[in-house]
Protein backbone atom coordinates (compact mmCIF):
# COMPACT_ATOMS: atom_id res chain seq x y z
CA UNK A 1 0.00 0.00 0.00
CA UNK A 2 1.16 3.52 -0.68
CA UNK A 3 -0.48 6.85 -0.12
CA UNK A 4 -0.97 9.35 -2.90
CA UNK A 5 -1.23 12.96 -1.87
CA UNK A 6 -2.80 15.73 -3.90
CA UNK A 7 -2.03 19.28 -2.81
CA UNK A 8 -4.37 22.10 -3.74
CA UNK A 9 -3.45 25.71 -3.20
CA UNK A 10 -4.82 29.03 -4.39
CA UNK A 11 -4.30 32.74 -3.86
CA UNK A 12 -6.64 34.93 -1.82
CA UNK A 13 -6.76 38.68 -2.41
CA UNK A 14 -8.61 41.06 -0.10
CA UNK A 15 -10.44 42.74 -2.96
CA UNK A 16 -10.51 43.37 -6.71
CA UNK A 17 -8.29 46.42 -6.26
CA UNK A 18 -5.38 44.11 -5.35
CA UNK A 19 -5.55 42.34 -8.74
CA UNK A 20 -3.65 43.23 -11.89
CA UNK A 21 -5.50 45.62 -14.19
CA UNK A 22 -6.36 42.82 -16.63
CA UNK A 23 -7.70 40.50 -13.91
CA UNK A 24 -9.69 43.30 -12.24
CA UNK A 25 -11.25 44.20 -15.60
CA UNK A 26 -12.37 40.60 -16.10
CA UNK A 27 -13.84 40.32 -12.61
CA UNK A 28 -15.67 43.64 -12.89
CA UNK A 29 -17.17 42.42 -16.18
CA UNK A 30 -18.27 39.13 -14.54
CA UNK A 31 -19.92 41.08 -11.72
CA UNK A 32 -21.77 43.24 -14.24
CA UNK A 33 -22.91 40.42 -16.54
CA UNK A 34 -24.85 38.76 -13.69
CA UNK A 35 -27.65 41.09 -14.81
CA UNK A 36 -28.07 38.90 -17.92
CA UNK A 37 -28.72 35.73 -15.92
CA UNK A 38 -32.17 34.17 -16.11
CA UNK A 39 -32.70 32.91 -12.58
CA UNK A 40 -36.40 33.25 -11.68
CA UNK A 41 -36.32 30.04 -9.61
CA UNK A 42 -33.13 30.20 -7.56
CA UNK A 43 -32.85 34.02 -7.59
CA UNK A 44 -29.10 33.34 -7.76
CA UNK A 45 -27.61 35.20 -10.74
CA UNK A 46 -24.22 33.98 -11.92
CA UNK A 47 -21.96 35.75 -14.42
CA UNK A 48 -18.82 34.45 -16.08
CA UNK A 49 -16.42 36.32 -18.37
CA UNK A 50 -13.39 34.76 -20.04
CA UNK A 51 -10.38 36.15 -21.81
CA UNK A 52 -9.37 33.86 -24.65
CA UNK A 53 -5.74 33.51 -25.69
CA UNK A 54 -6.40 35.84 -28.65
CA UNK A 55 -7.56 38.53 -26.20
CA UNK A 56 -11.27 38.24 -27.02
CA UNK A 57 -13.68 38.53 -24.08
CA UNK A 58 -16.78 36.36 -23.96
CA UNK A 59 -19.45 35.98 -21.32
CA UNK A 60 -21.96 33.46 -20.02
CA UNK A 61 -24.73 33.50 -17.44
CA UNK A 62 -26.92 30.88 -15.81
CA UNK A 63 -30.15 30.21 -17.70
CA UNK A 64 -32.77 28.38 -15.68
CA UNK A 65 -35.89 26.53 -16.77
CA UNK A 66 -39.24 25.54 -15.24
CA UNK A 67 -38.02 22.00 -15.81
CA UNK A 68 -35.16 22.54 -13.35
CA UNK A 69 -32.59 20.08 -14.76
CA UNK A 70 -32.84 21.83 -18.15
CA UNK A 71 -31.16 24.90 -16.64
CA UNK A 72 -27.50 25.55 -17.32
CA UNK A 73 -24.76 27.18 -15.25
CA UNK A 74 -22.94 30.33 -16.31
CA UNK A 75 -19.63 28.48 -16.72
CA UNK A 76 -21.00 25.89 -19.16
CA UNK A 77 -22.93 28.55 -21.09
CA UNK A 78 -19.61 30.32 -21.48
CA UNK A 79 -17.69 27.20 -22.53
CA UNK A 80 -20.29 26.42 -25.20
CA UNK A 81 -20.15 30.00 -26.47
CA UNK A 82 -16.34 29.97 -26.57
CA UNK A 83 -16.19 26.70 -28.50
CA UNK A 84 -18.92 27.83 -30.89
CA UNK A 85 -17.53 31.29 -31.66
CA UNK A 86 -13.82 30.42 -31.52
CA UNK A 87 -13.47 26.68 -32.16
CA UNK A 88 -10.21 25.27 -30.84
CA UNK A 89 -9.16 28.48 -29.09
CA UNK A 90 -8.02 28.20 -25.47
CA UNK A 91 -9.26 30.22 -22.53
CA UNK A 92 -6.57 32.01 -20.56
CA UNK A 93 -8.57 33.32 -17.60
CA UNK A 94 -12.17 32.94 -16.48
CA UNK A 95 -13.82 35.17 -13.85
CA UNK A 96 -17.00 34.07 -12.07
CA UNK A 97 -19.22 36.23 -9.89
CA UNK A 98 -22.82 36.20 -8.71
CA UNK A 99 -25.65 38.23 -7.28
CA UNK A 100 -27.82 36.49 -4.70
CA UNK A 101 -31.23 38.14 -4.36
CA UNK A 102 -31.77 36.36 -1.05
CA UNK A 103 -28.58 37.20 0.77
CA UNK A 104 -25.14 38.73 0.60
CA UNK A 105 -22.91 38.34 -2.44
CA UNK A 106 -19.65 38.98 -0.65
CA UNK A 107 -17.78 35.67 -0.63
CA UNK A 108 -16.49 33.76 -3.67
CA UNK A 109 -18.37 30.81 -5.14
CA UNK A 110 -16.63 28.04 -7.02
CA UNK A 111 -17.89 26.00 -9.98
CA UNK A 112 -20.29 23.11 -9.35
CA UNK A 113 -19.24 19.52 -9.97
CA UNK A 114 -20.64 19.29 -13.50
CA UNK A 115 -18.90 22.55 -14.46
CA UNK A 116 -15.62 21.26 -13.02
CA UNK A 117 -15.94 18.25 -15.32
CA UNK A 118 -16.62 20.51 -18.33
CA UNK A 119 -13.78 22.89 -17.44
CA UNK A 120 -11.39 19.95 -17.12
CA UNK A 121 -12.22 18.70 -20.61
CA UNK A 122 -12.03 22.20 -22.10
CA UNK A 123 -8.51 22.53 -20.69
CA UNK A 124 -7.59 19.13 -22.05
CA UNK A 125 -8.99 19.69 -25.54
CA UNK A 126 -7.25 23.06 -25.89
CA UNK A 127 -4.07 21.94 -24.07
CA UNK A 128 -4.15 25.08 -21.93
CA UNK A 129 -4.88 25.73 -18.25
CA UNK A 130 -7.81 28.00 -17.39
CA UNK A 131 -7.00 30.43 -14.56
CA UNK A 132 -10.04 31.06 -12.38
CA UNK A 133 -10.91 34.32 -10.63
CA UNK A 134 -13.75 33.83 -8.16
CA UNK A 135 -15.49 36.57 -6.19
CA UNK A 136 -18.85 37.99 -5.19
CA UNK A 137 -19.96 41.54 -5.99
CA UNK A 138 -17.37 42.74 -3.49
CA UNK A 139 -14.97 41.25 -0.99
CA UNK A 140 -12.22 38.63 -1.27
CA UNK A 141 -11.06 37.13 -4.53
CA UNK A 142 -9.77 33.59 -5.02
CA UNK A 143 -7.37 32.96 -7.89
CA UNK A 144 -6.82 29.34 -8.91
CA UNK A 145 -4.06 28.63 -11.43
CA UNK A 146 -5.80 25.78 -13.21
CA UNK A 147 -9.50 24.80 -13.21
CA UNK A 148 -8.77 21.07 -13.27
CA UNK A 149 -7.08 21.42 -9.87
CA UNK A 150 -10.68 21.53 -8.56
CA UNK A 151 -11.28 17.99 -9.82
CA UNK A 152 -8.56 15.61 -8.69
CA UNK A 153 -8.67 12.07 -10.06
CA UNK A 154 -11.03 13.22 -12.80
CA UNK A 155 -12.67 10.87 -15.26
CA UNK A 156 -11.26 12.13 -18.55
CA UNK A 157 -11.35 11.48 -22.29
CA UNK A 158 -8.20 9.35 -21.84
CA UNK A 159 -10.22 6.68 -20.05
CA UNK A 160 -12.35 6.13 -23.17
CA UNK A 161 -9.42 5.50 -25.50
N1 LIG B 1 -24.86 28.19 -10.79
C1 LIG B 1 -23.98 28.62 -11.76
O1 LIG B 1 -24.38 29.14 -12.80
N2 LIG B 1 -22.66 28.47 -11.52
C2 LIG B 1 -22.12 28.00 -10.36
O2 LIG B 1 -20.90 27.97 -10.24
C3 LIG B 1 -22.99 27.56 -9.27
C4 LIG B 1 -24.45 27.55 -9.57
C5 LIG B 1 -26.29 28.41 -11.02
C6 LIG B 1 -27.12 27.19 -11.26
C7 LIG B 1 -28.48 27.68 -10.83
O3 LIG B 1 -29.09 28.38 -11.91
C8 LIG B 1 -28.20 28.66 -9.72
O4 LIG B 1 -26.84 29.04 -9.87
C9 LIG B 1 -28.42 28.11 -8.33
O5 LIG B 1 -27.78 26.89 -8.16
Amino acid sequence: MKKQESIFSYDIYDSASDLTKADAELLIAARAVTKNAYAPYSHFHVGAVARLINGALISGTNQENASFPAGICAERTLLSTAASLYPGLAIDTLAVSYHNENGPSTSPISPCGICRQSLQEFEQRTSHPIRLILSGQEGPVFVIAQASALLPLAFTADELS
Side-chain angles (χ1 to χ4, degrees):
M1 198 278 272
K2 63 173 184 172
K3 276 217 192 304
Q4 180 71 44
E5 197 177 17
S6 163
I7 294 173
F8 171 64
S9 67
Y10 58 100
D11 299 328
I12 304 178
Y13 295 85
D14 286 341
S15 77
S17 54
D18 293 334
L19 300 175
T20 63
K21 196 164 168 271
D23 284 355
E25 181 187 303
L26 214 57
L27 174 55
I28 287 162
R31 287 172 171 168
V33 83
T34 58
K35 72 177 189 317
N36 294 350
Y38 176 66
Y41 307 106
S42 71
H43 308 290
F44 195 84
H45 306 249
V46 184
V49 176
R51 180 174 287 108
L52 306 186
I53 54 164
N54 68 352
L57 297 191
I58 55 160
S59 65
T61 55
N62 57 329
Q63 299 294 318
E64 298 184 348
N65 192 281
S67 172
F68 291 180
I72 182 168
C73 292
E75 295 89 331
R76 278 175 295 131
T77 303
L78 183 144
L79 294 180
S80 300
T81 303
S84 302
L85 292 179
Y86 299 95
L89 218 63
I91 292 174
D92 185 73
T93 305
L94 166 61
V96 182
S97 185
Y98 67 99
H99 165 67
N100 181 4
E101 285 179 51
N102 297 322
S105 306
T106 50
S107 53
I109 57 162
S110 66
C112 79
I114 299 175
C115 289
R116 291 175 192 211
Q117 183 74 28
S118 297
L119 288 161
Q120 185 283 327
E121 186 146 333
F122 199 96
E123 284 188 342
Q124 191 173 27
R125 76 195 241 198
T126 57
S127 305
H128 197 283
I130 301 175
R131 279 178 73 238
L132 294 178
I133 299 175
L134 310 174
S135 185
Q137 292 296 320
E138 55 181 294
V141 183
F142 295 171
V143 178
I144 299 170
Q146 178 160 13
S148 55
L150 290 173
L151 195 62
L153 219 63
F155 179 78
T156 73
D158 298 338
E159 270 72 56
L160 296 177
S161 59

